[in-house]
Amino acid sequence: MTLVDTPVITAGGPSLTQERRLVTAIPGPRSQELLARKAEAVASGVGLTLPISVVAAGGGVIVDADGNSLIDLGSGIAVTGVGNSAPRVVEAVTAQLHSFTHTCFTVSPYEGYVAVAEKLNELTPGDHVKRSALFNSGAEAVENAVKIARHFTKKQAVVAFDHAYHGRTNLTMGLTAKNIPYKSGFGPFASEVYRAPLSYPFRDGGLSGAEAAARAISVIEKQVGAENLAAIIIEPIQGEGGFIVPAAGFLPAIVEWCRANDVVFIADEVQTGFARTGAWFASEHEGIVPDLVVTAKGIAGGLPLSAVTGRAEIMDSAMAGGLGGTYGGNPLACAAALATIETYEEDRLIDRAREIGAVLIGRLNALRTADPRVGDVRGRGAMVAMELVDPASGAPDAALTSAVAAYAHANGVVVLTCGTYGNVIRFLPPLTISDELLIDGLSVVAEGLKHA
Ligand SMILES: *Cc1c(COP(=O)(O)O)cnc(C)c1O
């Protein structure tokens, strides 16, 4: 393999040439150099999906050190909804960088944090009085939502669902369902975490939303008891678990049960939030109003920020000093979030998510019609997946899934897999991707399926 002489690209953003371009095999020589250094310097537990060395990204592409331009159908796991190095984000963060970088909000506050809280209170479902608190990661915000719910209810138990993913810290590992790679050997886990069955239309024999909710509620009542239960936490559409959209009526029935039993309903919208599903929040598709909403990923154009937003009486129950952290609501991240939210609004990216969804669902359903190994196509907006199965038995086909993803990666398309059984290919393109790139990327995935 010859070393291709490409200039080092530093400027990313939407002005990058929007094309799939392979000038070396993946990974190319420069990427291989970085991977060798990674193997020596970085803990092996920090895995990676696509072995390249990124130098720039924007619009719908990621450019590597060898000059390859890959189509981004993952958005860094649903983070760069507004695209990488989105112009408003670059401008706002640069200005903030020149004024101040940190004071610790709980030592001496600044406007950006309050403005983000105001925006979250306005945008999240429900017109009740709300408060927000800001943190750094999705997992940290999930932990805080549970802390707050326990403090408010003076109860301790928490229920999460089958196939759930809530993070990698101790409490959130406990809430997460999947053993490998998230939990195995990392215990003991926090106590008072219980698990209920989900509505998974493709694999639960077609239970209606109401039936699946009744099944979950029965488990909760028999095994935990409302009098012990502080909160139920659920992803309105499960992310890592396989982009599982519960049957209609499932979420409203769980919310209603929570209301009737003084249990806090927490929506983990870390992956589904911020325009991704063709609404500000996925809860809106089912008309539910969560007591607490957890957000992160798509909130700040790639800067680390997360939040818990919810009913004022619940959020205000924790004593002063009980919530916070050194970096939570860092001024750079808040500037990025305000610019990101403005970008979703001004560039009509919620509408764009719906258009992207129509392309994704259309193309993937055509694949499903032609190929019985595509067992299910599901999702909302720009959060869509296909579940690959053995056509005869319906059993999950993780090997086929890996082969299709590997083919896409080798041919310049960043796709992610997910699912408890590792047999789901998920699509989370930046909302700034062009139809041309999206369709090209999907054709590569279709070729991969044919080759496998
Ligand atoms: C990614 C994710 C988390 C964890 O977020 P981190 O920022 O990685 O800690 C929690 N919940 C859901 C639904 C997620 O997708």
Side-chain angles (χ1 to χ4, degrees), residues 77 136-140 142 165-169 172 235 237-240 268-272 294 296-297 306 426:
I77 319 185
N136 301 287
S137 69
E140 191 188 0
V142 167
Y165 181 84
H166 296 291
R168 287 183 168 93
T169 58
T172 60
E235 302 152 81
I237 299 173
Q238 282 191 331
E240 306 303 305
D268 179 348
E269 292 245 18
V270 169
Q271 193 156 156
T272 49
V294 182
K297 293 193 165 102
S306 64
R426 58 173 152 172

Side-chain angles (χ1 to χ4, degrees), residues 88-89 92-93 96 100-101 105 109-120 133-136 299-307 327-342:
R88 289 185 189 84
V89 174
V93 174
Q96 182 62 49
F100 65 96
T101 50
F105 184 78
Y110 39 88
E111 197 211 344
Y113 187 118
V114 177
V116 170
E118 288 167 350
K119 267 288 174 195
L120 288 166
L134 305 186
F135 305 97
N136 301 287
I299 194 175
L303 274 81
L305 187 72
S306 64
Y327 294 112
N330 169 272
L332 297 168
C334 288
L338 294 170
T340 296
I341 291 167
E342 187 189 329

Side-chain angles (χ1 to χ4, degrees), residues 22-34:
L22 291 181
V23 295
T24 70
I26 302 288
R30 294 207 169 115
S31 293
Q32 285 179 26
E33 277 172 30
L34 182 71

Side-chain angles (χ1 to χ4, degrees), residues 339-422:
T340 296
I341 291 167
E342 187 189 329
T343 302
Y344 287 128
E345 280 169 344
E346 295 296 314
D347 294 355
R348 306 177 56 81
L349 293 181
I350 292 181
D351 294 341
R352 182 63 192 142
R354 291 204 198 107
E355 292 169 12
I356 288 172
V359 173
L360 283 167
I361 293 273
R363 300 256 154 179
L364 296 175
N365 270 336
L367 274 186
R368 175 168 65 165
T369 308
D371 189 335
R373 296 173 300 171
V374 181
D376 194 25
V377 171
R378 56 181 180 250
R380 289 192 204 273
M383 179 174 187
V384 172
M386 60 177 175
E387 178 159 350
L388 300 181
V389 299
D390 177 287
S393 62
D397 195 339
L400 173 63
T401 306
S402 305
V404 173
Y407 182 93
H409 297 166
N411 288 280
V413 181
V414 182
V415 292
L416 305 171
T417 61
C418 64
T420 296
Y421 316 108

Side-chain angles (χ1 to χ4, degrees), residues 151-168:
H151 202 279
F152 174 73
T153 58
K154 301 184 171 60
K155 299 188 278 188
Q156 293 183 349
V158 184
V159 162
F161 285 82
D162 286 336
H163 312 287
Y165 181 84
H166 296 291
R168 287 183 168 93

